[in-house]
Amino acid sequence: ATSLDGRMGTSTGESQWITGPQSRAQGHRLRAGHDAVLVGVETVLADDPRLTVRLPEEPELEARQPLRVVLDSKLRTPSFARIAVTGTLILTTREPMQVGAAEVIRVAGDPSNRPNVDAVLETLAARGVKSLMIEGGGRVAACFVSAGLVDAIEWFRAPILLGGDGRPGLAALNLARLAHAPQYRRLAVEPLGDDLWERYERRT
């Protein structure tokens, strides 16, 4: 979910709520369609999300609660965070310690000592996860995009502008040439209230 200019938050990190209720409800439906939902610790610290499916008028979907996954190299997730509960898996590169009721597992790190994306996917696959929804933030999204692992994009764009000092929906990809840019094909565009829901799949 971003502004028209691709920002997911203001310069201070405020992001709730950029999009309207129809977009947020569709986001919950997307969660229900995946085995796991993943965010980075910056999203946890900024938004204190639950990452649950909350669709009281659609109980059959609300019953499909995905595994919640947090990438947290330095274990900064507070024990009182709403996500630090049973059904959450925190992946770190340091010695595991208790974080609320969440499960904490150590995985291999990348050169920056953040959880390596291949190690993350191997850990999740071992738990039966076949579909993963990455909700944020921009740095986490960029890591998976750069690795060529993002098969589809579900983009909810709100009719507001946050400017160049806003938090980008996608962090730096360090591209020197346009030919190296990841390419996607648009599948559909649908209005949801005042927002637009754009769907893309990766070109192969």
Side-chain angles (χ1 to χ4, degrees):
T2 73
S3 60
L4 284 177
D5 50 347
R7 304 291 161 169
M8 64 179 185
T10 65
S11 60
T12 62
E14 183 183 358
S15 61
Q16 297 180 338
W17 298 103
I18 287 178
T19 53
Q22 294 97 327
S23 293
R24 297 199 296 275
Q26 186 58 39
H28 283 268
R29 295 185 188 100
L30 290 173
R31 285 178 182 172
H34 289 78
D35 297 325
V37 179
L38 181 147
V39 296
V41 68
E42 296 292 346
T43 296
V44 172
L45 296 175
D47 296 341
D48 193 21
R50 285 175 278 183
L51 300 186
T52 53
V53 177
R54 299 187 298 281
L55 293 167
E57 297 180 357
E58 301 176 57
E60 72 284 355
L61 291 183
E62 192 169 76
R64 302 177 191 171
Q65 295 294 335
L67 174 69
R68 291 159 289 187
V69 184
V70 179
L71 302 187
D72 184 359
S73 58
K74 298 179 181 178
L75 286 182
R76 293 186 290 153
T77 300
S79 60
F80 54 81
R82 293 192 293 185
I83 204 170
V85 294
T86 302
T88 294
L89 178 63
I90 298 176
L91 300 180
T92 184
T93 55
R94 63 177 293 175
E95 189 67 28
M97 66 179 190
Q98 186 172 352
V99 180
E103 182 180 1
V104 181
I105 292 181
R106 186 174 191 173
V107 297
D110 64 14
S112 299
N113 203 34
R114 300 188 183 100
N116 175 275
V117 293
D118 289 329
V120 168
L121 294 182
E122 289 171 7
T123 300
L124 296 181
R127 291 168 174 262
V129 172
K130 297 180 179 179
S131 61
L132 174 64
M133 179 175 172
I134 300 167
E135 285 206 17
R139 181 184 294 169
V140 170
C143 287
F144 282 86
V145 168
S146 294
L149 296 171
V150 176
D151 299 315
I153 296 174
E154 308 278 356
W155 191 356
F156 299 89
R157 284 207 287 177
I160 60 174
L161 297 169
L162 297 180
D165 58 343
R167 302 281 178 93
L170 187 67
L173 297 180
N174 298 312
L175 299 173
R177 301 180 59 191
L178 284 175
H180 299 158
Q183 296 187 26
Y184 290 80
R185 181 172 67 91
R186 187 174 65 237
L187 299 178
V189 179
E190 180 181 338
L192 288 177
D194 292 332
D195 306 327
L196 280 182
W197 175 26
E198 303 174 38
R199 308 188 68 189
Y200 298 86
E201 69 175 7
R202 183 165 53 122
R203 290 188 183 273
T204 56

